[in-house]
Amino acid sequence: MSAPLILGQIGLTFHTAAAAVIAELLEEVGNNVVLREAPHEKMYALQQAGEVDLICSAWLPSSHQVYIAPYIDALEKLAVIYTPYCIWGIPEEAPAEIRSVHDLARPDIAKHFRKLIKGITPGAGISRFSRQMLIDYKLAEQGFIFENGTLSDCTGHYLEALTAQEMAIVPLWHPQWLHTETKLRELADPLGLLGVQDDATLVLRKDAKHKLSKQGMAILRNMKLGNAVVSQLDRGICLEGKAPREVAKAWVAENRALCDSWKV
């Protein structure tokens, strides 16, 4: 058997959901795949060191370009599998006048919100962006603080506030399962600190191409999931308690014709 392709998945459920689909499809056409998981910074360091072949997926250009820039010449960019973007969200039920992050700096508005903004891991783009937003929008002056945590910390803090009928800010992104459960109002970001819509791009070390079959490379160049599908897969893992591979197998089976079209 040929050397396994080391497929890196960043340690967040929507990344593991997409990676599970890739692993399922590659193995269907005879490729040997081994999954490896790590946080953002560690994952890209592993790929730069040659310990990970393919990452699912690099959000380019806003969120992850900083990580691949030092070794970009060693990479081949393949399919864009969805188009993520970062947001700050508040409950749709919040007063209609609150439309922009700038509004949160008003004392009469800030007093209605929980001051803790609970985020995810430090290396995520949304975390870097959110820390800067507290400074540039002068939100710290109103008592707002940003705290890193796990994905469960982030979503749990927001949902707990909703249950308590309190207003909170959630630093989030599309695609993500929370959008399937609650209606968020996305705040305008006039300073552009949340970046642009990214391309979730499969990035492969050029020296690992020999590990993939012809059909495997075709899949990685042609596949497209889209934001809605990734959110659906993510929901299956987070809310329905299914394993990533279980969710992936079911989706591939339900979309057989589409998946087969990527192999050529």
Side-chain angles (χ1 to χ4, degrees):
M1 182 177 289
S2 62
L5 179 84
I6 309 302
L7 171 56
Q9 57 186 25
I10 295 168
L12 294 167
T13 52
F14 61 94
H15 282 298
T16 62
V21 173
I22 291 170
E24 180 71 15
L25 294 173
L26 290 179
E27 289 179 358
E28 280 188 352
V29 294
N31 298 274
N32 183 13
V33 179
V34 173
L35 286 168
R36 186 162 183 181
E37 182 172 309
H40 294 77
E41 308 101 306
K42 178 64 174 177
M43 178 55 65
Y44 289 103
L46 288 170
Q47 189 179 45
Q48 183 173 12
E51 297 179 41
V52 164
D53 300 317
L54 173 70
I55 289 181
C56 174
S57 53
W59 288 20
L60 306 174
S62 294
S63 293
H64 299 173
Q65 185 75 31
V66 64
Y67 297 127
I68 71 169
Y71 65 103
I72 194 167
D73 290 342
L75 299 178
E76 181 172 341
K77 296 177 184 178
L78 301 172
V80 174
I81 57 173
Y82 57 95
T83 50
Y85 59 96
C86 295
I87 69 165
W88 267 20
I90 63 173
E92 182 58 37
E93 299 77 19
E97 64 179 317
I98 309 174
R99 293 291 171 182
S100 166
V101 180
H102 270 311
D103 296 329
L104 300 174
R106 289 171 43 186
D108 60 317
I109 288 177
K111 69 180 181 181
H112 296 296
F113 281 85
R114 286 189 174 188
K115 296 305 186 291
L116 174 62
I117 303 173
K118 192 71 173 179
I120 58 169
T121 50
I126 184 62
S127 296
R128 301 198 316 271
F129 304 154
S130 295
R131 288 191 292 269
Q132 192 63 42
M133 289 169 79
L134 289 185
I135 299 170
D136 289 12
Y137 284 103
K138 304 187 185 305
L139 301 183
E141 297 175 13
Q142 298 302 323
F144 288 103
I145 59 172
F146 177 81
E147 183 179 278
N148 291 112
T150 66
L151 178 57
S152 294
D153 292 334
C154 173
T155 56
H157 176 77
Y158 181 75
L159 291 174
E160 190 273 328
L162 289 187
T163 300
Q165 296 186 321
E166 298 176 4
M167 289 204 295
I169 301 159
V170 61
L172 207 63
W173 55 89
H174 285 275
Q176 213 277 338
W177 69 263
L178 191 62
H179 297 289
T180 71
E181 292 300 298
T182 185
K183 179 68 174 175
L184 291 172
R185 181 184 306 165
E186 299 179 12
L187 294 176
D189 170 29
L191 299 181
L193 301 179
L194 288 171
V196 298
Q197 178 176 282
D198 275 329
D199 288 335
T201 307
L202 302 180
V203 287
L204 174 71
R205 286 189 60 94
K206 294 175 182 176
D207 58 11
K209 292 171 68 173
H210 69 280
K211 297 182 179 182
L212 287 156
S213 66
K214 181 178 179 180
Q215 282 187 309
M217 280 300 300
I219 289 168
L220 297 180
R221 288 192 171 113
N222 296 329
M223 68 179 296
K224 172 81 172 179
L225 297 176
N227 289 1
V229 168
V230 176
S231 290
Q232 172 192 339
L233 298 169
D234 193 32
R235 187 183 192 282
I237 296 168
C238 294
L239 296 192
E240 299 170 18
K242 297 177 181 177
R245 200 57 180 266
E246 178 186 3
V247 171
K249 283 180 179 292
W251 186 84
V252 169
E254 292 168 2
N255 296 273
R256 172 52 59 195
L258 174 64
C259 293
D260 286 348
S261 74
W262 297 334
K263 299 175 183 178
V264 294

